[in-house]
Amino acid sequence: MTEFPTARVFVRVCHVKRGYEDRERHITSGFARHGIPVNWFLDWDISDISAEEKARRVDSEKLLPAEISCAMKHIGVWQEFLASGYPYCLVFEDDVILSNRFSRKFNEGLAEFADPDRNAVVYLGNGGNYYTALWRLKKGRHLYPAPHCRNTDSYLITRRVAEARCAWFAANKITLPIDHQIDRIDAQNGVEVLWFERPIVEQGTQNGTFSTSIIGRKSRARIYQRLEWNWKKYRRQLFGYTSRPHR
């Protein structure tokens, strides 16, 4: 098995202090198969965010408590990363499902990325079922320019990207879900957005493996969700799909 590059990659999994033990077990066993260290980021659960903290950090009445918590967890991960000496940061949410060839493909993608000073982010998963069209893919190539992020379930960033994002949040409040917010921040800072093709991660709450943790978001029967997901997945892999709803 290809060894995961633990010496170069800072890894964090956004999780909660209590609850979702099924996800915890899934992550622990899945990561162990690939030799990936399981380092949980547990700060900024919903219960940790006081009214005063929310007023200081958030400027939106539309965001759900779980969306605010999720955003603050990602920001917290980037801050921890910048306090470390690692050149790369790999962030996961706790519902990720890794492909059987994750470590080998990840190492190939990292070699292709090449420069730890690159102002770029790589989205490893297929969150939102976004894909580059089949006819655009080239043998041996994994990273493709993209118009926006693919959700925040799994991504790789460099210190340059983390610094720019943290600087923005130090001066501005959260107004959007984290994936839409960082799209705008990265565009302002000229960050290259890259999609890993074909993805080596799936988001379990989207493909029907797990129920969503965002209270207030409509949930459907998992079997229906799984069938719809797979239909979109294989159709969009063929023709491509990049259209993203605005927030």
Side-chain angles (χ1 to χ4, degrees):
M1 182 179 72
T2 304
E3 185 175 349
F4 183 82
T6 54
R8 292 189 293 157
V9 182
F10 179 92
V11 180
R12 287 294 182 273
V13 182
C14 297
H15 190 44
V16 295
K17 298 180 186 71
R18 289 179 296 277
Y20 300 101
E21 285 80 8
D22 56 338
R23 299 189 186 192
E24 186 172 331
R25 291 190 296 270
H26 165 76
I27 290 291
T28 300
S29 62
F31 279 37
R33 288 195 295 272
H34 297 280
I36 303 172
V38 178
N39 298 305
W40 306 105
F41 186 88
L42 303 175
D43 294 347
W44 299 118
D45 286 356
I46 293 173
S47 59
D48 297 333
I49 304 171
S50 65
E52 294 76 17
E53 193 69 32
K54 178 181 175 183
R56 187 171 74 85
R57 291 175 174 262
V58 181
D59 187 17
S60 172
E61 295 302 320
K62 296 181 179 180
L63 289 174
L64 298 169
E67 291 177 317
I68 295 170
S69 170
C70 182
M72 292 175 68
K73 284 178 182 289
H74 282 275
I75 297 166
V77 169
W78 306 331
Q79 291 170 338
E80 281 195 357
F81 165 53
L82 291 176
S84 77
Y86 289 85
Y88 298 104
C89 178
L90 179 57
V91 185
F92 294 104
E93 292 176 353
D94 62 5
D95 61 343
V96 292
I97 300 170
L98 307 184
S99 79
N100 292 331
R101 299 178 293 171
F102 179 88
S103 289
R104 179 170 69 83
K105 291 291 186 181
F106 179 80
N107 276 285
E108 292 171 358
L110 196 62
E112 186 178 329
F113 190 87
D115 185 2
D117 293 324
R118 191 170 175 179
N119 189 29
V121 54
V122 180
Y123 292 96
L124 306 176
N126 61 350
N129 247 330
Y130 297 111
Y131 290 98
T132 303
L134 179 63
W135 63 271
R136 291 183 177 273
L137 303 185
K138 300 182 184 300
K139 185 176 181 180
R141 179 179 174 183
H142 297 297
L143 308 182
Y144 293 82
H148 55 73
C149 87
R150 267 175 161 166
N151 295 3
T152 54
D153 57 283
S154 53
Y155 59 89
L156 179 82
I157 57 173
T158 61
R159 301 184 73 84
R160 284 185 64 185
V161 175
E163 287 167 355
R165 289 180 178 181
C166 287
W168 191 94
F169 282 108
N172 299 275
K173 294 184 177 183
I174 302 166
T175 60
L176 296 168
I178 190 62
D179 53 342
H180 289 270
Q181 195 84 74
I182 60 176
D183 262 346
R184 297 191 181 186
I185 297 168
D186 290 351
Q188 291 173 12
N189 289 288
V191 174
E192 287 182 84
V193 177
L194 302 168
W195 290 353
F196 198 108
E197 296 288 5
R198 287 299 193 231
I200 52 177
V201 179
E202 282 211 354
Q203 192 171 3
T205 51
Q206 291 202 352
N207 71 11
T209 301
F210 301 111
S211 297
T212 180
S213 61
I214 300 180
I215 298 172
R217 180 172 291 178
K218 186 177 180 181
S219 182
R220 294 168 297 167
R222 291 189 193 175
I223 184 64
Y224 174 78
Q225 187 175 344
R226 189 174 294 115
L227 289 171
E228 182 184 43
W229 175 264
N230 285 328
W231 163 246
K232 288 182 178 178
K233 174 181 175 179
Y234 295 116
R235 178 166 54 87
R236 291 177 178 181
Q237 281 184 345
L238 180 60
F239 299 107
Y241 185 77
T242 62
S243 179
R244 182 172 172 82
H246 293 288
R247 288 293 297 262

